[in-house]
Amino acid sequence: MAAKVFESIGKFGLALAVAGGVVNSALNNRLDAGHRAVIFDRFRGVQDIVKPIIFDCRSRPRNVPVITGSKDLQNVNITLRILFRPVASQLPRIFTSIGEDYDERVLPSITTEILKSVVARFDAGELITQRELVSRQVSDDLTERAATFGLILDDVSLTHLTFGKEFTEAVEAKQVAQQEAERARFVVEKAEQQKKAAIISAEGDSKAAELIANSLATAGDGLIELRKLEAAEDIAYQLSRSRNITYLPAGQSVLLQLPQ
């Protein structure tokens, strides 16, 4: 009797193996590129049910927003863009331990965990000035963490980084104050330059007056006569260019030119 039971079980196992091979062959013919299937066997009494679970193994994007705190206790809003895909050889473990919606269960939690850990090492100013370093540290730590769940991260990048309202207003106020200080410094420097220019001009006028006085003292009335001639020459040149000026010979009156 026992031999018959073992024989029946052997035949049943062989039938399952053959059926599984047929289904697997059929699935391989119908799977799209970049997809893998996990065969799930479940028994109900002596019946067998074969259920294929299809996984997309291509790299897919996902944005994960996180609110965390910096080293100086400033609120930071960060959005991380991740390109991920599962390791094909670990699909059975992913399905049995996590489920088909593994990305929904794993990525938000580990992303929040890593971001909180990394951002807490930097203050708000460093997060702005050393953004590349922060992004690289997040990428390295998150890639290592995701590997423990059978996930590959092809790319990790910070796409959004802002701070709380109070900090943003404080930064803007500081920038305005710096601009006002720069403007005030420019006004002071301009006034100093104008003052220097006025001093230099006054010194030049004083020196010119001194030279003229010395010239008058040594040359007598000759310099004054020279200046008179120069002034008369300039006046004559200006008058010659005017259309409303009429020249008369010296000693003649305008009335002499009118009809008698």
Side-chain angles (χ1 to χ4, degrees), residues 161-175:
L161 193 154
T162 58
F163 298 91
K165 180 180 179 182
E166 295 79 8
F167 179 79
T168 303
E169 292 177 349
V171 171
E172 292 176 352
K174 183 178 179 180
Q175 292 177 343

Side-chain angles (χ1 to χ4, degrees), residues 34 55-64 80-88 91 94 98-108 110-111 139 142-143 145-147 149-157:
F55 282 87
D56 187 353
C57 293
R58 296 171 298 182
S59 185
R60 291 179 292 158
R62 183 181 181 90
N63 291 328
V64 182
L80 206 63
R81 184 177 184 272
I82 304 170
L83 286 177
F84 70 96
R85 56 188 171 91
V87 179
L91 286 177
I94 293 174
I98 304 175
E100 297 180 60
D101 56 345
Y102 64 91
D103 56 327
E104 292 286 347
R105 297 186 179 187
V106 172
L107 290 179
I110 65 174
T111 299
S139 178
L142 189 58
T143 299
R145 188 76 174 92
F149 294 93
L151 301 180
I152 298 174
L153 304 185
D154 293 322
D155 183 66
V156 178
S157 59

Side-chain angles (χ1 to χ4, degrees), residues 4-139:
K4 291 183 179 180
V5 172
F6 287 123
E7 182 180 0
S8 299
I9 293 175
K11 291 180 179 179
F12 176 69
L14 179 60
L16 276 182
V18 173
V22 172
V23 172
N24 189 33
S25 177
L27 287 174
N28 286 336
N29 292 334
R30 291 182 301 184
L31 286 178
D32 295 331
H35 293 72
R36 295 292 184 274
V38 173
I39 305 300
F40 177 66
D41 295 332
R42 185 173 54 188
F43 296 93
R44 294 179 181 176
V46 295
Q47 298 179 353
D48 64 292
I49 299 175
V50 180
K51 178 184 177 183
I53 309 299
I54 309 300
F55 282 87
D56 187 353
C57 293
R58 296 171 298 182
S59 185
R60 291 179 292 158
R62 183 181 181 90
N63 291 328
V64 182
V66 176
I67 299 177
T68 184
S70 63
K71 185 178 180 180
D72 54 350
L73 304 181
Q74 298 295 335
N75 289 330
V76 186
N77 301 313
I78 297 180
T79 299
L80 206 63
R81 184 177 184 272
I82 304 170
L83 286 177
F84 70 96
R85 56 188 171 91
V87 179
S89 61
Q90 298 191 33
L91 286 177
R93 182 175 72 87
I94 293 174
F95 174 73
T96 56
S97 62
I98 304 175
E100 297 180 60
D101 56 345
Y102 64 91
D103 56 327
E104 292 286 347
R105 297 186 179 187
V106 172
L107 290 179
S109 62
I110 65 174
T111 299
T112 301
E113 172 191 341
I114 296 300
L115 277 176
K116 286 182 179 293
S117 173
V118 174
V119 172
R121 306 172 197 169
F122 301 87
D123 58 35
E126 292 172 341
L127 290 174
I128 298 175
T129 59
Q130 303 181 29
R131 179 166 177 167
E132 183 178 352
L133 174 61
V134 175
S135 180
R136 185 168 60 253
Q137 189 65 60
V138 169
S139 178

